Amino acid sequence: MFDVIIVGGGAAGFYAAIHIAEANPAFKIAILERGKEVLTKVKVSGGGRCNVTHAEFDPNELVKNYPRGEKELRGPFHTYCSGDTIAFFDKRGITLKIEEDGRMFPESNTSQTIVDCFTSEAERLGIKLLRNSSVVAIETVQKSEESPLDGWMIASIQKKYYAKKLLVTTGSNPKIWKLLEKLGHTIVPPVPSLFTFNIKDDRIDGIPGVSAYASVEVLEKTLPSKVTINLKSKVASKALLVSEGPLLITHWGMSGPAILKLSAWGARMLNDWNYRFKIKVNWLPEYEEEGMLQLLLQIKGVEAKKTVLRTNAVAIPKRLWVHLVKASDISEEVKWADVTKIQLQQLAKELTAGEYQVDGKSTFKEEFVTAGGVDLKEINFKTYESKIVTNLFFAGEVINVDAITGGFNFQNAWTSGYISAQAIAAKKISS
Ligand SMILES: Cc1cc2nc3c(=O)[nH]c(=O)nc-3n(C[C@H](O)[C@H](O)[C@H](O)COP(=O)(O)OP(=O)(O)OC[C@H]3O[C@@H](n4cnc5c(N)ncnc54)[C@H](O)[C@@H]3O)c2cc1C
């Protein structure tokens, strides 16, 4: 019998447990974790370094990194933001450092620092950790011969537990979503977010590791040939997505922030399209096709005696230049003086508006998340309590919130963990 049971021993579960215990030391708190280890995702996160949060301290800017949750997180971030996360770890002797792109990691460069901090804090605060306790049933109960209190019965395969309040922090777990549906909640169907694009194309073949700052547009779904032109143009005009940032060529296609952002913002649409669609890449976003042609014509005048292939005239990696020149039907020995306008038009197109066919996706190993979960309309974001069932709270990825890569997904876990904890610790219940 507990005051509060937290189902799920991950990032949000631990963060909430620690804050409940600090806010209300008299509370009996238990974390039920299905695995024999806790915090397994924290351990592997950020390539083993744990990208704890992001150095974005303005809540109105921070929310822009959440394809799902942008509107709802505004209030919560005004209550608890990345600066509070930094202070939490600092108070416990862990300094977070900022990398050039704003991502924040523990100075130790290992996620074990974060795992150790959480487990030692849980022990210090007397939080009961029940490992190997996969929750299979959740029911509201009333005080009776069966139940010692008004509140919740939470059953693992082996045991039944009772608690006055329940906090669910099970991440993207389909079984728990089913149980929540039984309690009357709507679950937005899960789809993957944060993935890379599979592209087989000579223009990027054999140059993995090449990276450039690019702008990328999702053009249209690749439709089976029997679908009519009408539908095709409708889909394309409605569903356009654009992003800009570093783009990394991989063995399988394209990755890097420019691609990952599209995968997050387009998570549901690209899933509907079965991950078959066309993109347009501009390797020099400060130019449009016509401006690029003018630039190439100028270079033709200046570099007349040199070969096109060996004179990388624009700011893109050399190996990429070579591939795009070849793709424009300009052979190795052709000099700038001899290159035709048609060839330069083709090269300008390749540099600023090359189209690529995406055929499937791959996992981004550093971080992947699931879009979907408890419908945001059914949660009170001042407390993270369910609007459907009283004394039921949520935190972390179990709700329909997810972010682009950069430490934002953990910040969602910390903010929701903290706010739900304050509400749980403060709410009085008669037993
Ligand atoms: C490889 C990888 C790397 C990542 N790196 C980063 C990063 O560097 N920065 C960042 O911001 N985000 C990162 N993320 C995303 C981040 O890990 C998640 O957004 C975050 O862990 C969500 O926290 P959570 O507590 O909601 O869920 P989780 O951390 O997934 O925890 C849920 C817990 O609930 C338990 N559970 C599930 N079902 C049951 C059940 N029935 N009974 C009992 N327990 C149950 C699970 O075993 C788990 O321990 C990464 C994700 C992955 C997969």
Side-chain angles (χ1 to χ4, degrees):
M1 198 172 126
F2 295 92
D3 290 293
V4 54
I5 281 181
I6 298 168
V7 183
F14 268 83
Y15 209 72
I18 292 164
H19 282 100
I20 297 169
E22 289 201 323
N24 199 334
F27 257 34
K28 275 180 74 186
I29 307 164
I31 298 179
L32 301 191
E33 165 56 46
R34 73 174 161 179
K36 70 175 195 297
E37 303 288 342
V38 292
L39 296 161
T40 48
K41 261 200 197 170
V42 173
K43 182 81 169 73
V44 299
S45 67
R49 293 200 300 143
C50 188
N51 179 191
V52 178
T53 186
H54 201 94
E56 173 54 76
F57 304 108
D58 177 352
N60 298 324
E61 287 301 312
L62 189 60
V63 291
K64 292 183 183 161
N65 298 288
Y66 294 80
R68 279 133 311 257
E70 183 172 2
K71 187 167 96 262
E72 293 79 3
L73 286 175
R74 203 170 287 265
F77 283 155
H78 274 95
T79 303
Y80 198 87
C81 205
S82 22
D84 301 298
T85 307
I86 297 168
F88 170 87
F89 286 108
D90 197 50
K91 199 173 149 198
R92 287 155 181 87
I94 298 168
T95 308
L96 302 181
K97 58 170 177 176
I98 309 177
E99 304 219 321
E100 244 174 54
D101 55 6
R103 292 181 304 158
M104 298 196 72
F105 294 87
E107 225 168 37
S108 64
N109 260 333
T110 164
S111 55
Q112 193 62 45
T113 306
I114 307 297
V115 173
D116 291 345
C117 166
F118 285 159
T119 48
S120 63
E121 279 293 82
E123 198 180 332
R124 177 180 72 83
L125 294 161
I127 295 160
K128 204 159 178 64
L129 267 187
L130 299 160
R131 297 179 173 85
N132 296 311
S133 303
S134 185
V135 168
V136 291
I138 294 174
E139 284 166 21
T140 53
V141 286
Q142 286 184 339
K143 200 168 176 178
S144 64
E145 268 179 27
E146 272 272 295
S147 165
L149 48 70
D150 283 334
W152 294 94
M153 188 285 294
I154 297 120
S156 73
I157 299 162
Q158 308 91 341
K159 258 189 175 172
K160 280 183 179 173
Y161 301 90
Y162 292 90
K164 293 174 195 159
K165 299 172 200 178
L166 171 62
L167 171 62
V168 179
T169 59
T170 40
S172 308
N173 186 281
K175 284 190 190 141
I176 294 291
W177 279 330
K178 278 257 155 347
L179 296 181
L180 294 173
E181 264 176 346
K182 276 199 200 154
L183 292 172
H185 271 288
T186 312
I187 304 299
V188 178
V191 294
S193 181
L194 295 182
F195 48 83
T196 67
F197 293 175
N198 294 354
I199 299 168
K200 243 201 123 18
D201 192 298
D202 284 348
R203 288 169 290 179
I204 55 166
D205 195 31
I207 52 169
V210 165
S211 147
Y213 189 91
S215 116
V216 188
E217 279 176 50
V218 171
L219 288 185
E220 60 189 22
K221 163 184 184 180
T222 314
L223 294 165
S225 47
K226 58 179 187 268
V227 179
T228 64
I229 297 293
N230 257 349
L231 177 58
K232 189 168 173 173
S233 54
K234 223 160 114 194
V235 171
S237 59
K238 206 171 119 199
L240 203 77
L241 276 176
V242 190
S243 88
E244 203 171 300
L247 188 160
L248 175 70
I249 296 171
T250 68
H251 287 284
W252 300 274
M254 292 181 188
S255 179
I259 298 296
L260 293 164
K261 273 190 251 174
L262 290 178
S263 79
W265 289 96
R268 201 157 292 283
M269 176 181 88
L270 301 181
N271 180 267
D272 287 347
W273 292 0
N274 212 12
Y275 307 105
R276 279 181 50 76
F277 53 95
K278 271 198 195 133
I279 56 168
K280 185 156 89 180
V281 180
N282 184 343
W283 299 102
L284 292 145
E286 65 273 32
Y287 287 95
E288 286 183 1
E289 205 173 325
E290 183 50 36
M292 179 53 65
L293 177 62
Q294 294 313 316
L295 179 72
L296 293 175
L297 287 167
Q298 278 174 24
I299 296 166
K300 179 176 158 72
V302 180
E303 306 278 14
K305 288 188 185 145
K306 295 186 181 161
T307 57
V308 178
L309 200 82
R310 270 173 229 101
T311 328
N312 182 358
V314 293
I316 61 167
K318 203 166 154 201
R319 288 197 291 162
L320 180 60
W321 168 261
V322 169
H323 275 236
L324 297 182
V325 169
K326 286 184 180 164
S328 310
D329 277 337
I330 302 171
S331 53
E332 210 161 318
E333 63 288 352
V334 172
K335 295 202 167 63
W336 281 96
D338 305 321
V339 73
T340 66
K341 185 159 181 202
I342 289 177
Q343 284 172 318
L344 287 187
Q345 276 168 338
Q346 184 56 34
L347 182 55
K349 187 172 170 59
E350 285 299 343
L351 288 166
T352 57
E355 289 189 13
Y356 296 80
Q357 171 65 43
V358 178
D359 252 317
K361 61 172 176 51
S362 292
T363 308
F364 176 58
K365 303 254 173 4
E366 287 276 295
E367 177 176 349
F368 44 89
V369 291
T370 305
V374 178
D375 196 328
L376 303 183
K377 290 196 288 294
E378 298 172 354
I379 297 166
N380 173 356
F381 279 89
K382 290 202 171 79
T383 57
Y384 282 83
E385 187 170 8
S386 158
K387 287 183 185 169
I388 310 270
V389 195
T390 184
N391 293 318
L392 169 62
F393 296 80
F394 304 105
E397 221 180 285
V398 67
I399 65 181
N400 184 23
V401 167
D402 63 271
I404 60 167
T405 179
F408 305 107
N409 281 301
F410 276 141
Q411 188 54 51
N412 171 51
W414 315 141
T415 295
S416 54
Y418 173 83
I419 295 177
S420 60
Q422 303 312 310
I424 289 168
K427 195 171 169 185
K428 295 254 179 303
I429 301 178
S430 52
S431 40

